[in-house]
Coordinates of all heavy atoms in Angstrom, one line a residue:
M1 N 0.8 -1.2 0.0 CA 0.0 0.0 0.0 C 0.9 1.3 0.0 O 1.9 1.3 0.6 CB -0.9 0.0 1.2 CG -1.8 1.2 1.3 SD -2.8 1.3 2.8 CE -4.2 0.3 2.4
K2 N 0.4 2.3 -0.7 CA 1.1 3.5 -0.7 C 1.0 4.3 0.7 O -0.1 4.2 1.3 CB 0.6 4.4 -1.8 CG 0.9 3.9 -3.2 CD 0.5 4.9 -4.2 CE 0.9 4.4 -5.6 NZ 0.6 5.3 -6.7
K3 N 2.0 5.0 1.0 CA 2.1 5.8 2.2 C 2.7 7.1 1.9 O 3.5 7.3 1.0 CB 2.9 5.1 3.3 CG 2.5 3.7 3.7 CD 1.2 3.7 4.5 CE 0.8 2.3 4.9 NZ -0.5 2.2 5.5
A4 N 2.3 8.1 2.7 CA 2.8 9.5 2.6 C 4.1 9.6 3.3 O 4.2 9.2 4.5 CB 1.8 10.5 3.1
V5 N 5.2 10.0 2.6 CA 6.5 10.2 3.2 C 6.8 11.7 3.1 O 6.7 12.3 2.0 CB 7.5 9.4 2.5 CG1 8.9 9.6 3.0 CG2 7.2 7.9 2.5
N6 N 7.2 12.3 4.2 CA 7.5 13.7 4.2 C 9.0 13.9 4.2 O 9.8 13.3 5.0 CB 6.9 14.3 5.5 CG 7.1 15.8 5.5 OD1 7.2 16.5 4.5 ND2 7.0 16.4 6.7
D7 N 9.5 14.8 3.4 CA 10.9 15.3 3.3 C 11.0 16.4 4.4 O 10.6 17.5 4.1 CB 11.2 15.8 2.0 CG 12.7 16.3 1.9 OD1 13.3 16.4 2.9 OD2 13.2 16.5 0.7
I8 N 11.5 16.1 5.5 CA 11.5 17.0 6.6 C 12.4 18.2 6.4 O 12.2 19.3 7.0 CB 11.8 16.4 8.0 CG1 13.2 15.8 8.0 CG2 10.8 15.3 8.3 CD1 13.6 15.3 9.4
D9 N 13.3 18.1 5.4 CA 14.2 19.3 5.1 C 13.4 20.3 4.3 O 13.8 21.5 4.4 CB 15.4 18.8 4.3 CG 16.3 18.0 5.2 OD1 16.4 18.2 6.4 OD2 17.0 17.1 4.6
R10 N 12.3 19.9 3.6 CA 11.6 20.9 2.9 C 10.3 21.4 3.6 O 9.8 22.4 3.3 CB 11.1 20.2 1.5 CG 12.3 20.0 0.6 CD 11.9 19.2 -0.6 NE 11.2 20.0 -1.6 CZ 10.8 19.6 -2.7 NH1 11.1 18.3 -3.1 NH2 10.1 20.3 -3.6
C11 N 9.8 20.6 4.5 CA 8.6 20.9 5.3 C 8.8 22.1 6.1 O 9.8 22.4 6.8 CB 8.3 19.7 6.2 SG 6.8 20.0 7.2
V12 N 7.7 23.0 6.0 CA 7.7 24.3 6.7 C 6.7 24.2 7.9 O 6.4 25.3 8.5 CB 7.4 25.5 5.8 CG1 8.6 25.6 4.8 CG2 6.1 25.3 5.1
A13 N 6.2 23.0 8.2 CA 5.4 22.8 9.4 C 4.1 23.7 9.4 O 3.6 24.1 10.4 CB 6.1 23.0 10.7
C14 N 3.6 23.9 8.2 CA 2.4 24.8 8.1 C 1.1 24.1 8.6 O 0.1 24.8 8.9 CB 2.2 25.3 6.6 SG 1.8 23.9 5.5
G15 N 1.1 22.8 8.5 CA -0.1 22.1 9.0 C -1.2 21.8 8.0 O -2.2 21.3 8.3
V16 N -1.0 22.3 6.8 CA -2.0 22.2 5.8 C -2.3 20.7 5.5 O -3.5 20.3 5.4 CB -1.6 22.8 4.4 CG1 -2.5 22.4 3.3 CG2 -1.6 24.3 4.6
C17 N -1.3 19.9 5.4 CA -1.5 18.4 5.2 C -2.3 17.8 6.3 O -3.2 16.9 6.1 CB -0.1 17.8 5.1 SG 0.9 18.0 6.5
A18 N -2.0 18.1 7.5 CA -2.7 17.5 8.7 C -4.2 17.9 8.6 O -5.0 17.0 8.9 CB -2.1 18.0 10.0
R19 N -4.5 19.1 8.2 CA -5.9 19.4 8.1 C -6.6 18.7 6.9 O -7.8 18.5 7.0 CB -6.1 21.0 7.9 CG -5.7 21.7 9.2 CD -6.2 23.2 9.2 NE -5.4 24.0 8.3 CZ -4.2 24.5 8.6 NH1 -3.7 24.4 9.8 NH2 -3.5 25.3 7.7
Q20 N -5.9 18.4 5.9 CA -6.5 17.7 4.7 C -6.7 16.2 5.0 O -7.6 15.6 4.4 CB -5.6 17.9 3.5 CG -5.5 19.3 2.9 CD -6.8 19.6 2.2 OE1 -7.4 18.7 1.5 NE2 -7.3 20.8 2.4
C21 N -5.9 15.6 5.8 CA -5.9 14.2 5.9 C -7.2 13.6 6.5 O -7.6 14.0 7.7 CB -4.7 13.7 6.8 SG -4.7 11.9 7.0
P22 N -7.9 12.8 5.8 CA -9.2 12.3 6.3 C -9.0 11.2 7.4 O -10.0 10.9 8.1 CB -9.8 11.6 5.0 CG -8.6 11.3 4.2 CD -7.6 12.3 4.4
R23 N -7.8 10.8 7.6 CA -7.5 9.7 8.6 C -6.8 10.2 9.8 O -6.5 9.5 10.7 CB -6.7 8.6 7.9 CG -7.3 8.0 6.7 CD -8.4 7.0 7.1 NE -7.9 6.1 8.1 CZ -8.1 4.8 8.1 NH1 -8.8 4.3 7.1 NH2 -7.5 4.0 9.0
E24 N -6.6 11.5 9.8 CA -5.9 12.1 11.0 C -4.6 11.4 11.2 O -4.2 11.1 12.4 CB -6.7 12.1 12.2 CG -8.0 13.0 12.0 CD -8.8 13.1 13.3 OE1 -8.6 12.4 14.3 OE2 -9.8 13.9 13.3
A25 N -3.9 11.1 10.1 CA -2.6 10.4 10.2 C -1.4 11.3 10.4 O -0.3 10.8 10.6 CB -2.4 9.5 8.9
I26 N -1.6 12.6 10.2 CA -0.5 13.5 10.3 C -0.5 14.4 11.5 O -1.6 15.0 11.8 CB -0.4 14.4 9.0 CG1 -0.4 13.5 7.7 CG2 0.8 15.3 9.0 CD1 -0.4 14.3 6.4
S27 N 0.6 14.6 12.1 CA 0.7 15.5 13.2 C 2.0 16.3 13.0 O 2.9 15.9 12.3 CB 0.8 14.8 14.6 OG 1.8 13.8 14.6
I28 N 2.0 17.5 13.6 CA 3.2 18.4 13.5 C 4.1 18.1 14.7 O 3.7 18.5 15.8 CB 2.8 19.9 13.4 CG1 1.8 20.1 12.2 CG2 4.1 20.7 13.2 CD1 2.3 19.7 10.8
Y29 N 5.2 17.4 14.4 CA 6.0 17.0 15.5 C 6.8 18.2 16.1 O 7.6 18.8 15.4 CB 7.0 16.0 15.0 CG 7.9 15.4 16.0 CD1 7.5 14.5 17.0 CD2 9.3 15.8 16.0 CE1 8.3 14.0 18.0 CE2 10.1 15.2 17.0 CZ 9.6 14.4 18.0 OH 10.5 13.9 18.9
K30 N 6.5 18.5 17.3 CA 7.2 19.5 18.1 C 7.2 20.9 17.3 O 8.2 21.6 17.5 CB 8.6 19.1 18.5 CG 8.6 18.0 19.5 CD 10.0 17.7 20.0 CE 10.0 16.6 21.1 NZ 11.4 16.2 21.5
G31 N 6.2 21.1 16.5 CA 6.1 22.3 15.7 C 7.2 22.5 14.6 O 7.4 23.5 14.1
C32 N 7.9 21.4 14.3 CA 9.0 21.4 13.4 C 8.7 20.8 12.0 O 9.1 21.4 11.0 CB 10.2 20.7 14.0 SG 10.9 21.5 15.4
Y33 N 8.0 19.7 12.0 CA 7.7 19.1 10.7 C 6.5 18.1 10.8 O 6.2 17.7 11.9 CB 8.9 18.3 10.1 CG 9.4 17.2 11.0 CD1 8.9 15.9 10.9 CD2 10.5 17.4 11.9 CE1 9.4 14.9 11.7 CE2 11.0 16.4 12.7 CZ 10.4 15.2 12.6 OH 10.9 14.1 13.4
A34 N 6.0 17.8 9.7 CA 4.8 16.9 9.7 C 5.3 15.5 9.8 O 6.2 15.0 9.0 CB 4.0 17.1 8.4
K35 N 4.7 14.7 10.7 CA 5.0 13.3 10.9 C 3.8 12.5 10.5 O 2.7 12.7 11.0 CB 5.4 13.2 12.4 CG 6.0 11.9 12.7 CD 6.4 11.9 14.2 CE 6.9 10.6 14.6 NZ 7.0 10.5 16.1
V36 N 4.0 11.5 9.7 CA 2.9 10.6 9.2 C 2.9 9.3 10.0 O 4.0 8.6 10.1 CB 3.1 10.3 7.7 CG1 2.0 9.4 7.2 CG2 3.2 11.6 6.9
D37 N 1.8 9.0 10.5 CA 1.6 7.7 11.2 C 1.2 6.7 10.1 O 0.0 6.7 9.6 CB 0.5 7.8 12.2 CG 0.2 6.5 13.0 OD1 0.7 5.5 12.5 OD2 -0.4 6.6 14.1
F38 N 2.1 5.8 9.7 CA 1.9 4.8 8.7 C 0.7 3.9 9.0 O 0.1 3.3 8.1 CB 3.1 4.0 8.4 CG 4.1 4.7 7.5 CD1 3.9 6.0 7.1 CD2 5.2 4.0 7.0 CE1 4.8 6.7 6.3 CE2 6.1 4.7 6.2 CZ 5.9 6.0 5.8
S39 N 0.4 3.7 10.3 CA -0.6 2.7 10.6 C -2.0 3.3 10.3 O -3.0 2.6 10.2 CB -0.5 2.4 12.1 OG -0.9 3.5 12.9
K40 N -2.1 4.7 10.2 CA -3.3 5.3 9.8 C -3.4 5.7 8.4 O -4.5 5.8 7.8 CB -3.5 6.6 10.7 CG -3.7 6.3 12.2 CD -3.9 7.6 12.9 CE -4.1 7.4 14.4 NZ -4.0 8.7 15.1
C41 N -2.3 6.0 7.7 CA -2.3 6.5 6.4 C -2.8 5.5 5.4 O -2.4 4.3 5.5 CB -0.8 6.9 6.0 SG -0.7 7.4 4.3
V42 N -3.7 5.9 4.5 CA -4.2 5.0 3.5 C -3.7 5.3 2.1 O -4.2 4.8 1.1 CB -5.8 4.9 3.5 CG1 -6.2 4.3 4.8 CG2 -6.4 6.3 3.3
G43 N -2.8 6.3 2.0 CA -2.2 6.6 0.7 C -3.1 7.3 -0.3 O -2.9 7.2 -1.5
C44 N -4.1 8.1 0.2 CA -5.0 8.7 -0.6 C -4.4 9.9 -1.5 O -5.0 10.2 -2.5 CB -6.2 9.3 0.2 SG -5.8 10.6 1.3
G45 N -3.3 10.5 -1.0 CA -2.7 11.5 -1.8 C -3.1 12.9 -1.5 O -2.6 13.8 -2.1
L46 N -4.1 13.1 -0.7 CA -4.7 14.5 -0.5 C -3.6 15.4 0.1 O -3.5 16.6 -0.2 CB -5.9 14.4 0.5 CG -7.2 13.9 -0.1 CD1 -8.2 13.8 0.9 CD2 -7.6 14.7 -1.3
C47 N -2.8 14.9 1.0 CA -1.7 15.7 1.7 C -0.7 16.1 0.6 O -0.2 17.2 0.6 CB -1.1 14.9 2.8 SG -0.4 13.3 2.3
E48 N -0.4 15.2 -0.2 CA 0.6 15.5 -1.3 C 0.2 16.6 -2.1 O 0.9 17.5 -2.5 CB 0.9 14.2 -2.1 CG 2.0 14.4 -3.2 CD 2.1 13.1 -4.0 OE1 1.1 12.5 -4.4 OE2 3.2 12.7 -4.3
K49 N -1.1 16.6 -2.5 CA -1.7 17.6 -3.4 C -1.7 18.9 -2.7 O -1.6 20.0 -3.3 CB -3.1 17.2 -3.9 CG -3.1 16.1 -4.9 CD -4.5 16.0 -5.5 CE -4.6 14.8 -6.3 NZ -5.1 13.6 -5.5
A50 N -2.0 18.9 -1.4 CA -2.2 20.1 -0.6 C -0.9 20.8 -0.2 O -0.9 22.0 0.1 CB -3.1 19.8 0.6
C51 N 0.1 20.1 -0.1 CA 1.4 20.6 0.5 C 2.0 21.7 -0.3 O 2.3 21.5 -1.5 CB 2.4 19.5 0.7 SG 4.0 20.1 1.3
P52 N 2.0 23.0 0.2 CA 2.6 24.1 -0.6 C 4.1 24.0 -0.8 O 4.6 24.6 -1.7 CB 2.2 25.3 0.3 CG 2.1 24.8 1.6 CD 1.6 23.4 1.5
A53 N 4.7 23.2 0.0 CA 6.2 23.1 -0.1 C 6.6 21.9 -1.0 O 7.8 21.7 -1.2 CB 6.8 22.9 1.3
G54 N 5.7 21.1 -1.4 CA 6.0 19.9 -2.2 C 6.9 18.9 -1.4 O 7.7 18.2 -2.1
S55 N 6.7 18.8 -0.2 CA 7.6 18.0 0.6 C 7.0 16.6 0.9 O 7.8 15.7 1.3 CB 8.0 18.6 1.9 OG 6.9 18.6 2.8
I56 N 5.7 16.4 0.6 CA 5.2 15.1 0.8 C 5.1 14.3 -0.5 O 4.7 14.8 -1.5 CB 3.8 15.1 1.4 CG1 3.9 15.7 2.8 CG2 3.1 13.8 1.4 CD1 2.6 15.5 3.7
N57 N 5.5 13.1 -0.5 CA 5.5 12.2 -1.6 C 4.7 10.9 -1.2 O 5.0 10.3 -0.2 CB 6.9 11.8 -1.9 CG 7.2 11.8 -3.4 OD1 6.3 11.4 -4.2 ND2 8.3 12.4 -3.8
V58 N 3.7 10.5 -2.0 CA 3.0 9.3 -1.7 C 3.5 8.2 -2.6 O 3.4 8.4 -3.8 CB 1.4 9.5 -1.8 CG1 0.7 8.2 -1.6 CG2 1.0 10.6 -0.9
S59 N 4.0 7.2 -2.1 CA 4.5 6.1 -2.9 C 4.5 4.8 -2.1 O 4.2 4.8 -0.9 CB 6.0 6.4 -3.3 OG 6.8 6.6 -2.2
E60 N 4.7 3.7 -2.8 CA 4.8 2.4 -2.2 C 5.9 2.4 -1.2 O 7.0 2.8 -1.5 CB 5.1 1.3 -3.2 CG 3.9 1.1 -4.2 CD 2.7 0.5 -3.6 OE1 2.8 -0.2 -2.5 OE2 1.6 0.7 -4.1
V61 N 5.6 2.0 0.1 CA 6.6 2.1 1.1 C 7.8 1.2 0.8 O 8.9 1.5 1.2 CB 6.1 1.8 2.5 CG1 5.4 3.1 3.0 CG2 5.2 0.7 2.5
G62 N 7.5 0.1 0.1 CA 8.6 -0.8 -0.2 C 9.7 -0.2 -1.1 O 10.8 -0.6 -1.1
N63 N 9.3 0.9 -1.8 CA 10.2 1.6 -2.7 C 10.8 2.8 -2.1 O 11.6 3.5 -2.7 CB 9.4 2.0 -4.0 CG 8.9 0.9 -4.8 OD1 9.5 -0.2 -4.7 ND2 7.8 1.1 -5.5
V64 N 10.5 3.1 -0.9 CA 11.0 4.3 -0.2 C 12.3 3.9 0.5 O 12.3 3.3 1.6 CB 10.0 4.9 0.8 CG1 10.6 6.1 1.5 CG2 8.7 5.3 0.1
S65 N 13.4 4.2 -0.2 CA 14.7 3.8 0.4 C 15.6 5.0 0.5 O 16.7 4.9 1.1 CB 15.4 2.7 -0.4 OG 15.5 3.1 -1.7
K66 N 15.2 6.2 0.0 CA 16.0 7.3 0.0 C 15.9 8.0 1.4 O 15.0 7.9 2.1 CB 15.7 8.3 -1.1 CG 14.3 8.7 -1.2 CD 14.0 9.6 -2.4 CE 12.5 9.9 -2.4 NZ 12.1 10.8 -3.5
Ligands
LIG1 S1 1.6 20.8 4.1 FE1 3.8 20.3 3.5 S2 5.0 22.0 4.4 FE2 3.0 22.0 5.4 S3 3.3 20.8 7.3 FE3 2.5 19.4 5.7 S4 4.3 18.5 4.7 FE4 5.0 20.3 5.9
LIG2 S1 -1.9 10.0 1.9 FE1 -4.0 10.5 2.7 S2 -4.3 9.2 4.5 FE2 -2.1 9.3 4.1 S3 -1.3 11.0 5.3 FE3 -1.8 11.8 3.3 S4 -3.9 12.6 3.4 FE4 -3.5 11.2 5.2

């Protein structure tokens, strides 16, 4: 299943993704960056589309090695 992966170096912690997520899978960790709870994320891609910084990528977790 696809999951949302956040590039914390690009994330500006605006919280837009967290408000978009229908599963409440995203929280802003210590006010610094968006953290995705993979156990809740269903890979819908809404956060990726909404992120103004382009820091979220939704992809198969098996392929996320970078
Ligand atoms: S919308 Fe993008 S920049 Fe804003 S908190 Fe989420 S991942 Fe970070
Ligand atoms: S892909 Fe969908 S379910 Fe997963 S964190 Fe983003 S908005 Fe939430």
Side-chain angles (χ1 to χ4, degrees):
M1 181 185 271
K2 290 184 175 184
K3 301 288 180 186
V5 178
N6 186 23
D7 178 348
I8 63 173
D9 291 331
R10 294 173 72 175
C11 177
V12 295
C14 64
V16 168
C17 56
R19 289 194 287 277
Q20 288 290 319
C21 180
R23 301 286 306 225
E24 298 185 350
I26 305 179
S27 55
I28 304 300
Y29 182 73
K30 293 187 175 176
C32 295
Y33 60 86
K35 193 175 172 196
V36 180
D37 181 343
F38 278 6
S39 70
K40 293 181 181 171
C41 176
V42 292
C44 68
L46 288 176
C47 56
E48 182 183 44
K49 289 194 190 86
C51 177
S55 71
I56 292 194
N57 224 318
V58 177
S59 58
E60 293 292 336
V61 280
N63 296 331
V64 179
S65 56
K66 53 184 177 177

